[in-house]
Amino acid sequence: SQQGEEDPQALSIQEGENATMNCSYKTSINNLQWYRQNSGRGLVHLILIRSNEREKHSGRLRVTLDTSKKSSSLLITASRAADTASYFCATNEKGSGNTGKLIFGQGTTLQVKP
Amino acid sequence: GAGVSQSPSNKVTEKGKDVELRCDPISGHTALYWYRQRLGQGLEFLIYFQGNSAPDKSGLPSDRFSAERTGESVSTLTIQRTQQEDSAVYLCASSLWSGGSYEQYFGPGTRLTVT
């Protein structure tokens, strides 16, 4: 079953602009992760934010987590054409038996135009 | 070092036939996961292996699906009597340790087409 719902489903921006993607989920989580998928490199882990964290940065990526609203956002600053890909949020649910099992959202397709 | 590898990269099979998909995880990774991704969709969890513990099979969609793992190495996902709705990309991932605190490294996937 899919837990995450991502918004928007598709996003098209110009190079240099910022891109924001949102993810909502339904259950209590241990952590939330963002992954990027493109045809060239497959699925790649971007960043992990734990349930007791509110914000995390990695290079041009900024992730926020609001557990009261069960939502997260991924901000990509100063986008590049190479950022064109699909972005997925994935949650590790509490009560998942201390496994790494992830529940993925449907993804946001980002197109960055040069 | 070598990443997660999967074989075959593409598989076309006739409805009703059995297929076997292979995953070689990163050496030393104790946790291994199988996911399925239908066209334009997110990933669906299928099964998880961690060391010698009993696998978590909660995501397997039917008893036609099964998976095995030899120790902490190769895993095979078997789909018996394939149906057209089994057509998807099957992705394998491994991580250093379970519990969700370590990132999962994904293989390139096997694209399965059932005709």
Side-chain angles (χ1 to χ4, degrees):
Chain A
S1 62
Q2 303 290 333
Q3 155 146 258
E5 291 186 4
E6 295 182 65
D7 166 53
Q9 290 188 339
L11 181 61
S12 181
I13 59 174
Q14 293 294 134
E15 208 165 27
E17 294 180 339
N18 296 341
T20 299
M21 289 160 264
N22 302 295
C23 168
S24 60
Y25 57 91
K26 297 175 184 173
T27 64
S28 295
I29 61 172
N30 294 315
N31 62 69
L32 184 145
Q33 304 179 33
W34 285 90
Y35 285 80
R36 179 181 66 212
Q37 185 177 42
N38 59 32
S39 57
R41 293 195 61 198
L43 202 70
V44 175
H45 179 271
L46 295 176
I47 196 165
L48 180 152
I49 186 165
R50 299 182 193 282
S51 60
N52 61 353
E53 297 177 313
R54 293 295 166 258
E55 187 171 312
K56 204 160 183 181
H57 297 253
S58 176
R60 294 184 295 112
L61 305 180
R62 173 178 170 255
V63 169
T64 62
L65 179 64
D66 186 334
T67 53
S68 67
K69 295 181 179 178
K70 291 187 169 57
S71 67
S72 174
S73 67
L74 171 67
L75 169 67
I76 304 174
T77 60
S79 63
R80 306 167 182 168
D83 295 329
T84 295
S86 292
Y87 291 80
F88 295 91
C89 67
T91 53
N92 179 245
E93 296 179 326
K94 279 188 178 173
S96 60
N98 198 36
T99 75
K101 172 182 170 181
L102 295 175
I103 306 298
F104 280 79
Q106 301 287 345
T108 293
T109 300
L110 172 66
Q111 182 185 31
V112 181
K113 299 175 185 176
Chain B
V4 177
S5 61
Q6 292 185 245
S7 61
S9 55
N10 281 285
K11 176 73 177 178
V12 180
T13 190
E14 291 180 353
K15 178 181 172 180
K17 295 284 179 71
D18 298 352
V19 295
E20 194 171 274
L21 312 180
R22 178 186 168 110
C23 171
D24 284 86
I26 293 172
S27 178
H29 279 194
T30 58
L32 186 147
Y33 310 82
W34 283 97
Y35 296 89
R36 176 172 72 179
Q37 185 177 29
R38 292 199 167 104
L39 187 63
Q41 303 293 312
L43 277 69
E44 300 172 71
F45 168 80
L46 296 178
I47 190 169
Y48 151 79
F49 295 92
Q50 168 61 26
N52 295 320
S53 302
D56 177 352
K57 304 179 182 181
S58 60
L60 294 179
S62 78
D63 58 8
R64 295 187 296 105
F65 288 72
S66 63
E68 293 183 349
R69 187 181 186 194
T70 307
E72 293 184 352
S73 60
V74 171
S75 175
T76 54
L77 176 69
T78 302
I79 309 174
Q80 295 178 309
R81 305 181 301 282
T82 51
Q83 304 293 314
Q84 287 186 331
E85 64 261 27
D86 299 334
S87 295
V89 176
Y90 289 82
L91 290 157
C92 173
S94 69
S95 67
L96 189 61
W97 177 74
S98 70
S101 297
Y102 288 82
E103 66 181 274
Q104 295 185 19
Y105 294 81
F106 282 81
T110 293
R111 182 175 300 277
L112 175 67
T113 303
V114 182
T115 61

